[in-house]
Amino acid sequence: MSNQLHYNTLSLNDDTKSCIIDGNEVNLTKREYQLLKFFLENPNYIYTRKELIEKFWDHKGSERAVDSTISRLRKNIKQYGSNIVTKIGYGYYFKTE
């Protein structure tokens, strides 16, 4: 049984760790994939950089590492990049509305 997440024409397949947009596979790093999956599973909820560092960098990352990874992820997911919103002074979230 396939374990998939969908948002419009974006889909993540957790069995194959693949991201598909408009029928085309998008290459994501492991961390980019994990972040996108996390955001899709928890839409419209703001996560601070600190929370993301604790979850995805095992407390060893920096705020700059979070910002850089989010920036690359936004570019890689093309038209859905704008769904990853920066709430200045708070953090990031995936906007579905």
Side-chain angles (χ1 to χ4, degrees):
M1 184 164 105
S2 184
N3 187 11
Q4 295 189 5
L5 291 169
H6 298 278
Y7 178 72
N8 293 337
T9 63
L10 183 154
S11 65
L12 290 182
N13 183 320
D14 207 37
D15 296 332
T16 61
K17 305 298 185 223
S18 59
C19 174
I20 308 292
I21 297 175
D22 295 327
N24 299 307
E25 188 164 0
V26 175
N27 292 320
L28 299 177
T29 66
K30 181 179 180 180
R31 189 160 285 140
E32 290 167 352
Y33 178 88
Q34 291 171 333
L35 277 167
L36 181 56
K37 179 181 179 219
F38 182 70
F39 283 136
L40 288 173
E41 290 174 332
N42 303 284
N44 303 309
Y45 184 89
I46 299 171
Y47 290 94
T48 66
R49 287 181 179 104
K50 182 179 179 185
E51 289 171 316
L52 296 174
I53 289 167
E54 289 171 3
K55 182 154 183 69
F56 297 104
W57 280 266
D58 196 30
H59 302 274
K60 297 175 185 140
S62 67
E63 289 187 358
R64 185 68 194 129
V66 174
D67 295 343
S68 296
T69 304
I70 294 287
S71 179
R72 284 192 314 273
L73 177 58
R74 283 176 170 149
K75 289 176 188 170
N76 287 335
I77 61 172
K78 302 171 178 76
Q79 71 263 33
Y80 295 106
S82 62
N83 289 83
I84 299 175
V85 177
T86 303
K87 186 75 169 174
I88 296 174
Y90 296 96
Y92 295 102
Y93 67 100
F94 190 88
K95 182 178 180 179
T96 59
E97 301 164 355

